[in-house]
Every structure is written in C-alpha cells, then in structure tokens.
Amino acid sequence: TTLNTQTVEVEDNILLLNKTGTSATATTSGISIYRGSSSTAGFIFDDADDTWDLSHNLKVASSLDVGGLGASTSVFSTRGTTDNSSAFAFEAANSSGASLFLVRNDGNVGIGSNPVHKLDIHQGAIFLDSDWPLYLGSTNAFIEGNSSGTIVRINATAGFKVTDGSNTRLLVDTDGNVGIGTADPQVQ
C-alpha cells in the first residue's frame, strides 16, 4: 500500500504490522525511514532472534526504563538531568528493584546504597589486586597487601598494624602502646 502524504494520522491505539491471519509471513517488521542519500534509519523487530534492532543512536529526552514498567522495577534505568541532588543520573537495579549501582546527579556513587558520600559501598568489600594500594587522601597514607602476604592495617580498633599474613610484626595500638614482634604491647 502506498500513501502519498507527508503526515499519516492513526486514531487506533495499536498499529499492527504483518497481520495476515494466524501467523506472520515476514521475519522482520517495523518502521524504516528513507533518508535520501543518507542511510535508511529503522526500528525493526527481528523475528529470527526475537529482538528489536535500532539502526541509529537512541536519544532519550527524559527517562529510559528497561526490563520493567517503571524505574522501581527496571533492571536498568537512566533518568534525565535535574538540579535535585537526590535524583539518579544512572542506576542499575536487580529484578526486584533493589539498587545495585547508582550515580546521583550530585556525582555521589553508591554500590548497594543511596550514596551520601562521593563513594558509598553497602555491605561489601573492596578488592584490589595484589600489589595495588588503597590511598587515603594522598599518596603518603595508604594500605597495601601484596603477593607475599604482607598486610598493613590502619583502623580504629587495631591501630596501626603490620603483619606477614599471620604474625604481627609491628603494632601501635589504639592506646598508643608500641610493640615489635608482639600482638599485645604494654608500653608506649
């Protein structure tokens, strides 16, 4: 069928393609847009692999939800920008809607949480490959583990501790006591 017009208005809610009775006769259906000397643009359903194919980039002005009927149930969603710092610029969630990873519009990043800080990790650990340090504010303060088992720990409950993986070699405990070769120093 050929329509010779610039605008086609359809009052029905659903446009049904390839309706030939009980089964479709074509392996693809969709919309193709002829663009003169430029490549044809299209949004085509490929029946062979049960997917939608988009021939050009997709630009979304406000929100995009994939895998569900709204951001709370989507497997993947991204939202448009806003000045609201609690809104998400990017979010990945599981099938029940729990956030796995998100970036807020204020730049805070959360893994398993809605971030309050630049990086918030909820109920998890950070794993760094062997011989890669974790810097604390500068390259002068860091924690590092390496392939030989040497571990440097700095925290509120252990103080400053250097171990060889199993034995404490140096300890400055939270009371200021210093020990070399002991895990229980008694003097400062």
Side-chain angles (χ1 to χ4, degrees), residues 18 20 28 46 51 73 78 81 89 91 102 119 134 161 165 169 172 176-177 181:
N18 284 338
T20 59
T28 59
D46 187 344
T51 60
T73 59
T78 184
T81 59
E91 178 184 23
L102 62 89
L119 176 61
L134 174 61
K161 181 191 278 188
R169 298 299 183 194
V172 179
N177 296 331

Side-chain angles (χ1 to χ4, degrees), residues 174-187:
T174 56
D175 294 325
N177 296 331
V178 178
I180 297 176
T182 179
D184 188 23
Q186 301 298 312
V187 294

Side-chain angles (χ1 to χ4, degrees), residues 43-89:
F43 186 61
I44 308 294
F45 183 77
D46 187 344
D47 199 39
D49 62 5
D50 206 27
T51 60
W52 284 98
D53 297 326
L54 183 65
S55 64
H56 288 68
N57 292 334
L58 178 64
K59 187 174 187 179
V60 179
S62 61
S63 67
L64 173 66
D65 295 319
V66 179
L69 300 173
S72 64
T73 59
S74 295
V75 176
F76 170 83
S77 67
T78 184
R79 294 168 176 76
T81 59
T82 177
D83 290 338
N84 182 347
S85 65
S86 64
F88 307 132

